[in-house]
Amino acid sequence: MIESNTHDIFAKISSIKSAGVIERYGFNDFLEIAREVRSNVSDDVWLEVGWDILEGMGLEELYGCDYDILTALEHIPSQSDLVDIQSFLRYSLVETLLEQFDAGGTTVLLDIGKMVGTPADVLIPRIIELRKDEMENTIVPVIGKEIIIYDVFMNEIHTITEPNDAVVLDSLWFTAYGCQVLTSLGLGLRADIDALEKIRNVMEKMEVTLKVGKGKYSVGKNHSNMSEAMKTFILKRAENSTHISKYRKSKQ
């Protein structure tokens, strides 16, 4: 994509994020812009654009769903107004998410708080159940050597690992609770033992048990079912969190 086209596409992305474009130009023009944007951006970028579209339409409770919103938009009658579109998306996506959850679909970025009092609140019990299940099936591996440090009286005072960033967090990022905690702590895909304790402490306050294992585990294989677009989006978030954390440390 040449630079001028890139600017044009991002301008169109900005326009379809707001429900105002539907009220101003009509649904058909909105759909044409959405189709053009979809054909010119990667799957993970489009996934996020879809969330922004939902949010712009007042459907914040569905933000973070693992779904290509263009699929739903293509089934909306062309003469629909904003209220019709909101109603169609709200109920069709709730039904779609229920089907995804029955197949072990991800809840990683869904916000339960925003679902309360909306038609999406029927999803909440299933989301809570799935989040508990995925934590039961997730083991955070610690690789390399563990070195215990003692004081002069042979009391254990600290533990370090070799390498220092021996805690592999990929699998935890793909869980809802893990993603929340790691984002709040500014952690990336690898961490040290001290960071692991911080994660454990935060999760204990959430009444979530963190399973840790020594040695090699199947990293990233135990999470709920999610699209490749969602996996890419989560990994980019983790990598960005790593860069921010390193920048903050360099400023200290």
Side-chain angles (χ1 to χ4, degrees):
M1 204 171 7
I2 62 174
E3 187 176 356
S4 59
N5 284 344
T6 302
H7 291 317
D8 183 50
I9 289 300
F10 277 98
K12 289 180 177 178
I13 287 175
S14 297
S15 72
I16 63 172
K17 286 181 179 180
S18 171
V21 71
I22 298 175
E23 296 176 320
R24 184 174 181 181
Y25 299 109
F27 178 67
N28 286 338
D29 285 351
F30 170 85
L31 184 57
E32 282 304 311
I33 295 172
R35 287 169 177 157
E36 183 178 358
V37 171
R38 178 66 187 94
S39 66
N40 284 281
V41 298
S42 62
D43 292 347
D44 60 296
V45 170
W46 175 251
L47 193 63
E48 188 174 13
V49 171
W51 301 334
D52 288 334
I53 290 173
L54 291 171
E55 189 172 48
M57 290 184 180
L59 305 177
E60 297 89 351
E61 70 272 20
L62 298 171
Y63 191 100
C65 61
D66 189 8
Y67 184 70
D68 183 345
I69 192 176
L70 187 60
T71 304
L73 294 175
E74 294 282 10
H75 288 86
I76 296 175
S78 60
Q79 300 305 313
S80 299
D81 60 18
L82 180 58
V83 174
D84 293 333
I85 296 167
Q86 288 172 325
S87 180
F88 180 91
L89 289 175
R90 178 171 278 127
Y91 289 99
S92 65
L93 287 183
V94 166
E95 184 176 341
T96 296
L97 287 174
L98 283 171
E99 292 174 356
Q100 287 183 356
F101 295 164
D102 285 342
T106 184
T107 71
V108 63
L109 295 180
L110 295 173
D111 188 336
I112 288 177
K114 293 179 180 178
M115 294 180 178
V116 176
T118 75
D121 61 8
V122 299
L123 301 172
I124 294 175
R126 192 74 178 100
I127 290 173
I128 293 172
E129 180 184 354
L130 286 168
R131 289 179 174 179
K132 289 180 179 178
D133 288 346
E134 69 182 1
M135 290 307 298
E136 283 291 322
N137 295 320
T138 299
I139 298 175
V140 176
V142 179
I143 60 175
K145 298 179 181 178
E146 186 177 277
I147 303 170
I148 301 174
I149 300 175
Y150 299 89
D151 63 17
V152 293
F153 302 105
M154 295 305 294
N155 297 312
E156 184 178 328
I157 58 173
H158 193 51
T159 301
I160 61 174
T161 57
E162 191 178 283
N164 184 53
D165 60 345
V167 183
V168 183
L169 298 173
D170 302 49
S171 58
L172 195 57
W173 268 105
F174 289 128
T175 68
Y177 294 135
C179 186
Q180 291 172 23
V181 172
L182 295 175
T183 300
S184 67
L185 293 176
L187 296 172
L189 295 172
R190 298 287 289 267
D192 58 23
I193 292 296
D194 291 338
L196 179 61
E197 284 307 305
K198 291 180 182 178
I199 297 169
R200 197 195 306 271
N201 290 337
V202 173
M203 288 200 163
E204 283 180 357
K205 292 177 182 178
M206 298 167 63
E207 298 184 350
V208 176
T209 300
L210 180 67
K211 292 185 176 181
V212 178
K214 296 180 181 179
K216 294 183 179 179
Y217 285 83
S218 182
V219 177
K221 298 294 184 181
N222 297 323
H223 56 76
S224 301
N225 295 327
M226 63 175 65
S227 67
E228 290 301 319
M230 180 66 87
K231 291 178 187 176
T232 300
F233 181 86
I234 295 297
L235 289 174
K236 284 183 177 179
R237 172 179 285 193
E239 290 166 1
N240 185 55
S241 183
T242 301
H243 296 324
I244 293 173
S245 178
K246 287 181 178 178
Y247 175 78
R248 287 174 178 169
K249 287 180 180 178
S250 69
K251 293 295 182 180
Q252 292 177 352

